């Protein structure tokens, strides 16, 4: 396994983590009264847009899943439209799953959907960037020993960490602490964000430590 590729992954992941930190600081210079807790819905939008845009740019620059086959302009447009549809469907799916896990069905619809968009940005968007709109490839990557590159291994780790972070973030909500961050969906979205950032840092380190044991074979 090439050390150069691991370094590229580390740099890309650190940039993504840095972008999240900046979304909590930079908007306060342009938006009056902006805070992560006080204007949480605004922060959810800013974070989703910034992280999503950076992921797409890094994918275009680093090309971790570059195919040897050249595609036509029409094929690229078709792929882009499919990715947009898949991303929207993932937002709807996450929204439905979150409601099934106890989120308000009618009340706080906007909050729930923006949280679903954030989760989709941390998970589905990365899958679309690396794997494209290919459900079979998604299933392969998240099956046992299904990763075929360090980028796919990183995708596994960051996706699982994001979902676990969101899940653990729900635990404080029913407690009677009466803290501002217990309002839906602040603790869950912060949990997902911290989980995603942890995954970004853990992934390249874990791959580096286990590089001798990791053998990626073409399938």
């Amino acid at each position: 396994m090439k050390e150069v590729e691991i370094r590229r992954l580390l740099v890309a992941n650190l940039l993504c983590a840095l972008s999240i930190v900046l979304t909590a600081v930079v908007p306060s210079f342009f938006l009056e009264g902006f805070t992560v807790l006080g204007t949480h819905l605004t922060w959810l939008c800013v974070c989703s847009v910034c992280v999503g845009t950076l992921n797409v740019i890094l994918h275009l620059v680093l090309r971790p899943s570059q195919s040897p086959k050249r595609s036509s302009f029409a094929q690229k447009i078709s792929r882009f439209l499919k990715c947009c549809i898949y991303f929207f469907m993932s937002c709807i799916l996450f929204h439905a799953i979150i409601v099934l896990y106890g989120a308000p069905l009618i009340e706080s619809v906007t909050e729930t959907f923006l949280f679903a968009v954030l989760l989709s940005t941390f998970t589905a968007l990365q899958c679309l960037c690396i794997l494209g709109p290919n459900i079979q490839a998604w299933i392969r990557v998240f099956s046992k020993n299904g990763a075929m590159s360090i980028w796919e291994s990183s995708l596994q780790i960051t996706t699982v960490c994001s979902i676990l972070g969101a899940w653990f973030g729900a635990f404080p909500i029913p407690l009677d602490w009466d803290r501002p961050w217990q309002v839906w969906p602040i603790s869950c979205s912060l949990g997902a964000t911290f989980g995603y950032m942890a995954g970004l840092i853990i992934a390249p380190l874990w791959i580096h430590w286990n590089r001798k044991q990791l053998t990626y074979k073409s399938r």
Side-chain angles (χ1 to χ4, degrees), residues 163-179:
I163 294 175
L164 286 178
W167 185 65
F168 281 115
F171 280 66
I173 292 179
L175 302 178
D176 57 351
W177 296 344
D178 294 328
R179 296 291 188 269

Side-chain angles (χ1 to χ4, degrees), residues 26 42 44 48 61 63 75 79 95 99 126-127 131 133 144 162 166-167 169 180 205 212:
V26 175
T42 303
L44 283 176
S48 298
V61 173
R63 298 182 180 275
Q75 290 175 325
R79 180 186 175 91
H95 185 101
V99 169
Q126 288 195 102
C127 292
L131 306 173
K144 185 178 180 180
S162 299
W167 185 65
L205 296 178
K212 294 182 179 179

Side-chain angles (χ1 to χ4, degrees), residues 25-44:
V25 178
V26 175
S28 61
F29 294 103
F30 304 97
L31 301 175
E32 186 177 355
F34 175 88
T35 61
V36 174
L37 298 182
T39 54
H40 191 67
L41 296 186
T42 303
W43 177 79
L44 283 176

